[in-house]
Amino acid sequence: MTDTPNTTGSRMRINALIVDATDPERLAAFWSELLGRPIVDRSSPYVWLRREHGLGLGFQRTDAPRRSKNRMHFDVSAPDPATEQRRVEALGGRRPEGYDDGGFLVMGDPEGNEFCIIPEGPFELDGEGRTDYLG
């Protein structure tokens, strides 16, 4: 990645995404397996996956309880979201309640952090932001 300003003149870019976790080792292992990114560093209170495309992914230990729905979430793409749902569940993730409407495949990691599995190809959204790629 070059160090050139973007169209607004800023040199800022997203360097890493950090996920708060009561058990960062467990979450790092889950996401490592799911994304094929090995754990490369442990520097308490962090566990880091291999950086890809300039983006780091780390898990930070916290004792603070999760209070509500995520305000930001990952979208991960896959050729077959339904197959990946089964793999997520085998790794300890689950489909949270209340997300049947909308058509998105919303999943939760072992600590309940939500993420969507979306198809690799294009898919349509209606005016309300709903989709039907799951069929």
Side-chain angles (χ1 to χ4, degrees):
M1 181 168 276
T2 62
D3 190 27
T4 57
N6 64 23
T7 57
T8 64
S10 175
R11 293 185 183 271
M12 293 180 73
R13 64 182 175 89
I14 296 174
N15 179 277
L17 300 173
I18 310 299
V19 178
D20 287 348
T22 58
D23 186 349
E25 284 288 340
R26 180 178 181 211
L27 274 194
F30 171 87
W31 284 100
S32 174
E33 183 67 28
L34 193 66
L35 300 175
R37 292 172 76 167
I39 295 172
V40 295
D41 190 28
R42 291 170 173 87
S43 51
S44 188
Y46 299 95
V47 180
W48 293 94
L49 300 188
R50 180 181 65 213
R51 183 175 288 274
E52 289 189 4
H53 307 289
L55 186 63
L57 182 56
F59 303 87
Q60 176 182 6
R61 179 177 312 283
T62 182
D63 294 326
R66 184 168 165 233
R67 290 185 166 59
S68 63
K69 180 185 181 314
N70 295 20
R71 295 295 299 225
M72 180 171 30
H73 67 272
F74 299 136
D75 279 357
V76 295
S77 61
D80 183 358
T83 296
E84 293 305 314
Q85 177 183 359
R86 291 187 292 277
R87 194 163 72 94
V88 166
E89 291 166 343
L91 292 170
R94 62 178 176 74
R95 179 110 193 233
E97 292 181 24
Y99 287 102
D100 296 331
D101 254 2
F104 281 93
L105 178 52
V106 179
M107 298 298 295
D109 70 16
E111 290 195 10
N113 299 300
E114 292 105 357
F115 61 98
C116 293
I117 304 174
I118 61 172
E120 286 182 340
F123 58 92
E124 298 293 321
L125 294 174
D126 69 14
E128 306 271 326
R130 293 183 301 259
T131 187
D132 63 357
Y133 65 82
L134 292 175

